[in-house]
Amino acid sequence: MPHQPQDSPAEEIATFTSATALDALAKVLKASGVAETGAFHLLQPPTDNAVVHVPALGIIARIAATTAHADRLGRELRTGEWLHRNGIDAARPATDPPTPQLTVVDGRVLSWWEHLDSTSPTDYAGLGRLLARLHALPAPAFLPPLDPWSRIPHLIALAGQGLPDADFARLQREYARLGEALAASSWADGPTGPVHGDAHLGNTLDVGGRAHLIDFEDMAAGPVLWDVATIFNTHQLGWLGDADWQAFINGYGTDPTDHPGIELLGEVLALRRTVWLAARTGREPRFLDTVRRRIDTFHLPLAQRGW
């Protein structure tokens, strides 16, 4: 029996696909009097959000699956404006959106963003420099405290719609084990500030040779080690070579590998990566084998998992 998520209407989540996201976007633009938009380009397969480029309008639409996400989208808009005011190169809310921000259609919520004219991410040195500038700022009061388990209970519940019961149970056990370990650790000791929350090259763009930050869904205030550990975990898993890791460290200016909490954070981040993909298996069963292989290797050291 599928395990239903607790914090979003199950039916709205289950029916949130590429097709229904694009349909909601077309509907809201038509209702607003935009007669001709041309083609839409889906930039990110939907989980809780879909990201769509509307080339004719020069804007990006971020479409959330349910109205339960409206507050988060509003905070993302505030974050984009705050970054711009503080000189951080980043995505910016649209100055002339086709509808008011946070318009709701068919139970979906839309926010509008300026289109950054690039399809290429920055490099790791650029990401390091960008995060160093972000982490040097005082965190604004509207950012929530960093929660290492943000959205994970919800995504685990979604994973239960696609995973076999035995795999789902193992995923839950790993979550419980790491939750206890993290609560007992001193991982949060160290500098604090604004944290991107999901720092990787896929959340950057190179625009005219300058690194820009995008996707503020997980922005928070807390230990800045979290962002650096995200890149470190990419290196731990073998997805990032030694040269790129060193380029990131050189750009950032600090090497985190001696921090006593870094290895545990790597485990937590690896679980988060698995849960994010597992949450899609109910709608996209093509990911099921990959997720099950990851669950099978939870017991191995990170460097040996072969993900």
Side-chain angles (χ1 to χ4, degrees):
M1 183 174 184
H3 308 266
Q4 301 293 356
Q6 300 301 306
D7 57 353
S8 291
E11 183 177 353
E12 290 177 341
I13 289 287
T15 60
F16 190 56
T17 63
S18 299
T20 57
L22 294 175
D23 182 61
L25 176 58
K27 226 179 246 191
V28 78
L29 288 174
K30 182 177 180 181
S32 71
V34 178
E36 182 58 47
T37 61
F40 299 151
H41 296 160
L42 187 70
L43 303 181
Q44 175 182 302
T47 49
D48 285 346
N49 303 284
V51 181
V52 184
H53 180 205
V54 186
L57 301 181
I59 57 174
I60 298 291
R62 284 180 62 86
I63 308 163
T66 80
T67 54
H69 301 297
D71 287 346
R72 174 177 55 75
L73 263 64
R75 188 169 63 248
E76 289 177 30
L77 292 166
R78 292 184 71 186
T79 299
E81 293 290 2
W82 175 80
L83 290 167
H84 180 73
R85 289 195 307 271
N86 282 275
I88 302 294
D89 294 318
R92 187 181 183 188
T95 55
D96 187 23
T99 72
Q101 295 284 11
L102 308 182
T103 291
V104 177
V105 60
D106 293 344
R108 321 299 185 190
V109 188
L110 285 84
S111 62
W112 305 101
W113 297 79
E114 301 290 346
H115 175 244
L116 293 173
D117 190 16
S118 173
T119 58
S120 301
T122 187
D123 56 22
Y124 279 99
L127 175 57
R129 290 190 294 269
L130 191 58
L131 288 179
R133 290 170 55 207
L134 174 68
H135 294 165
L137 294 171
F142 63 80
L143 286 181
L146 176 66
D147 176 7
W149 301 115
S150 170
R151 297 186 296 123
I152 291 300
H154 167 63
L155 293 176
I156 286 179
L158 284 177
Q161 298 179 359
L163 290 178
D165 286 347
D167 295 305
F168 183 67
R170 288 193 292 168
L171 191 68
Q172 290 179 306
R173 285 197 296 271
E174 184 71 357
Y175 172 45
R177 180 185 75 82
L178 289 175
E180 292 176 3
L182 199 66
S185 78
S186 58
W187 76 272
D189 292 350
T192 61
V195 177
H196 181 269
D198 191 21
H200 58 82
L201 288 194
N203 280 334
T204 69
L205 288 172
D206 183 292
V207 183
R210 294 182 65 89
H212 283 63
L213 204 57
I214 62 174
D215 192 352
F216 313 133
E217 184 173 354
D218 296 305
M219 283 280 292
V224 299
L225 179 68
W226 182 259
D227 280 342
V228 183
T230 302
I231 311 302
F232 179 64
N233 177 241
T234 307
H235 183 238
Q236 286 177 303
L237 290 169
W239 299 346
L240 176 62
D242 292 343
D244 281 332
W245 168 242
Q246 190 58 53
F248 172 79
I249 291 302
N250 292 343
Y252 189 70
T254 303
D255 187 339
T257 51
D258 289 335
H259 191 287
I262 195 76
E263 295 290 339
L264 178 58
L265 284 188
E267 295 281 356
V268 170
L269 287 156
L271 178 67
R272 287 187 63 95
R273 294 178 193 271
T274 301
V275 169
W276 180 83
L277 198 61
R280 296 169 60 179
T281 56
R283 290 171 295 181
E284 300 174 87
R286 62 195 174 95
F287 292 121
L288 184 56
D289 287 345
T290 298
V291 171
R292 296 187 73 188
R293 280 198 302 273
R294 291 188 181 185
I295 292 171
D296 283 342
T297 59
F298 276 161
H299 67 286
L300 296 175
L302 284 159
Q304 297 176 19
R305 292 186 181 179
W307 288 6

